[in-house]
Amino acid sequence: MERVGLRASPRITLEALKEALKGVRFPEAKVYFITDWQDRRHQARYALLIHGGKKDLLTPDAFGPAFQGGEEALSELVSLLLDLGARKFYEAVVSPAEMTALLELPPEELVRRINAIANPTDPGIYLKRAA
């Protein structure tokens, strides 16, 4: 599993991820958004796991409204993933206290845990609409 980006750094992580996405086979890959809030999306932070499709990638919690520019970067990321052919999107909600520990798990354990708690999600909810 390749770890990409920096915590709380949406732009840096997005740019690094753009390069790392080369070689990922979408539509086989599953895209997991790992978040610490479900009912408070306006405060959420998101990490990203891409599993399958030849290459596994993991970002720290670098996206979402919890970080300056994070909501826009998340929207740009989702648009990019859709353009690349991603079709399998999931969301895993963990407690804020669990987020850091979860992302530090060994790859096999992390994937197993995320698979166990993730539910299908509509990528449209992460796209920022022009007002």
Side-chain angles (χ1 to χ4, degrees):
M1 178 174 298
E2 182 180 346
R3 294 178 186 260
V4 180
L6 299 172
R7 183 179 189 280
S9 300
R11 270 292 135 204
I12 291 170
T13 302
L14 179 60
E15 293 309 313
L17 194 54
K18 285 179 181 178
E19 187 63 32
L21 288 170
K22 294 177 181 171
V24 174
R25 280 192 235 159
F26 298 104
E28 292 103 26
K30 294 180 179 178
V31 177
Y32 296 92
F33 298 103
I34 306 163
T35 186
D36 57 350
W37 292 104
Q38 184 173 31
D39 58 342
R40 296 183 194 158
R41 289 191 186 276
H42 63 283
Q43 297 175 323
R45 56 189 172 134
Y46 292 89
L48 179 80
L49 170 65
I50 297 176
H51 178 62
K54 188 179 176 184
K55 186 176 177 181
D56 289 353
L57 302 171
L58 177 68
T59 73
D61 51 328
F63 299 103
F67 307 113
Q68 183 175 0
E71 190 172 13
E72 294 80 8
L74 178 61
S75 180
E76 188 178 331
L77 171 61
V78 171
S79 292
L80 174 63
L81 292 170
L82 288 167
D83 289 346
L84 291 171
R87 297 294 176 258
K88 300 173 187 170
F89 292 89
Y90 300 86
E91 184 177 80
V93 181
V94 298
S95 71
E98 185 183 3
M99 176 77 88
T100 302
L102 179 72
L103 297 176
E104 292 175 358
L105 290 174
E108 300 80 23
E109 195 174 335
L110 172 69
V111 170
R112 215 174 13 256
R113 173 86 171 112
I114 295 301
N115 268 326
I117 62 174
N119 291 302
T121 190
D122 177 352
I125 66 174
Y126 308 100
L127 295 173
K128 188 171 170 116
R129 305 280 182 217

